Amino acid sequence: MNKLIVANWKMNNDFSDIPEFVKYVKKNAKGEDNLVVCVPSVMIKDFADASKKLMSTGAENCHFAEKGAYTGEISAKMVKSAGASYVILGHSERRHIFNENDEMINKKIISALKEGLKVIFCVGETLDEKSKYKSVIKTQILGGLDGVADLDNVIIAYEPVWAIGTGKVATTADIVKVHGYIKNLVSENYGKNLPVLYGGSVKPSNSKEILALENVDGVLIGGASLKAEDYIAIAKSRN
Ligand code: 13P
């Protein structure tokens, strides 16, 4: 199966960028599958309607409650009914800017899985934590997956915080080492081999090397996913 190529538009591309992005993919990505584009919640429906079977649509976050008095929040059910099949949870920007902790992320994961969404669960250490990445990632994974009965729809994304939007990419040796650690940890605790994506300054010039690595099941791309040309160039570098 082709490795997963996930775009995270964050709060960048707008409604007006959707038609051109989809048109480019339609024209230039024949035969490419396992393409997922995560967009701001208000744009899910438009993106899903425009991209149809070409790409899957994802959300960048959702709330853990099914419904209620949570002004400004969006439930997993709303995300699903708008046309998303994936949701990113636990992104470092959610953890650090919006103070999401492992317990909240765990509740979100449970809620999203209950709705039948595929969860892209992000973990990763900050620069200060680099020497103790194992304990940081272990706490994030065991906390986030606490009580999750069915892991079939869980995909882990390893995004070292110091590599996000900085142009600094983890070395290939580091990626292999940390992905191996994550795979072993999950296998020991849950008896499963979960897919692990790498994220952090992935771009067309480095994606081929990263995607060829052992234990890398795909990539999660921020800045280089905003232009369809770069996004598709990364997808094509899988082969
Ligand atoms: P960049 O690719 O811009 O470093 O962002 C990575 C990321 O945070 C994807 O979720």
Side-chain angles (χ1 to χ4, degrees):
M1 199 169 80
N2 257 335
K3 296 190 174 185
L4 201 59
I5 308 296
V6 185
N8 176 8
W9 280 7
K10 306 191 180 181
M11 203 173 74
N12 292 305
N13 276 357
D14 207 337
F15 283 100
S16 60
D17 297 300
I18 296 175
E20 202 186 318
F21 191 95
V22 173
K23 195 171 149 198
Y24 184 92
V25 175
K26 209 174 263 176
K27 196 161 165 226
N28 297 285
K30 293 211 170 57
E32 299 295 335
D33 58 4
N34 284 342
L35 303 175
V36 182
V37 180
C38 300
V39 300
S41 300
V42 283
M43 288 156 63
I44 292 171
K45 181 146 176 38
D46 286 61
F47 192 90
D49 287 350
S51 64
K52 300 245 163 58
K53 289 189 175 124
L54 270 184
M55 293 168 271
S56 299
T57 309
E60 299 173 8
N61 179 36
C62 69
H63 195 261
F64 50 76
E66 274 183 34
K67 62 192 310 184
Y70 298 100
T71 302
E73 290 291 334
I74 292 157
S75 70
K77 191 174 190 166
M78 291 169 185
V79 157
K80 178 89 188 293
S81 64
S85 46
Y86 287 80
V87 60
I88 297 173
L89 293 173
H91 193 279
S92 69
E93 287 146 20
R94 301 293 322 170
R95 291 178 188 267
H96 298 128
I97 306 171
F98 301 99
N99 299 321
E100 288 190 11
N101 58 31
D102 294 327
E103 195 188 330
M104 280 163 81
I105 294 161
N106 174 244
K107 289 204 277 183
K108 289 180 177 213
I109 291 175
I110 291 171
S111 174
L113 291 174
K114 198 170 153 211
E115 277 309 320
L117 289 164
K118 292 190 174 74
V119 170
I120 298 167
F121 169 33
C122 300
V123 299
E125 79 287 0
T126 63
L127 194 54
D128 285 348
E129 296 166 337
K130 206 161 178 246
S131 60
K132 48 171 183 161
Y133 76 90
K134 285 188 183 174
S135 65
V136 171
I137 290 173
K138 184 174 182 182
T139 304
Q140 290 172 341
I141 290 185
L142 298 187
L145 297 182
D146 187 30
V148 177
D150 186 359
L151 292 173
D152 284 350
N153 283 328
V154 178
I155 297 153
I156 294 182
Y158 169 56
E159 297 204 302
V161 179
W162 47 271
I164 296 177
T166 58
K168 289 187 190 132
V169 189
T171 62
T172 50
D174 275 349
I175 298 174
V176 170
K177 183 181 73 183
V178 181
H179 281 223
Y181 172 72
I182 292 171
K183 293 246 182 200
N184 279 339
L185 180 76
V186 171
S187 158
E188 274 168 19
N189 284 278
Y190 307 99
K192 290 251 181 214
N193 177 15
L194 291 191
V196 183
L197 315 179
Y198 170 77
S201 297
V202 175
K203 43 188 182 276
S205 59
N206 60 26
S207 60
K208 192 174 177 66
E209 192 182 26
I210 294 169
L211 282 161
L213 295 173
E214 187 193 345
N215 289 337
V216 172
D217 300 298
V219 284
L220 178 54
I221 319 150
S225 74
L226 299 175
K227 289 206 163 51
E229 290 88 332
D230 290 341
Y231 176 63
I232 292 307
I234 293 170
K236 288 188 172 172
S237 74
R238 285 180 286 192
N239 311 310

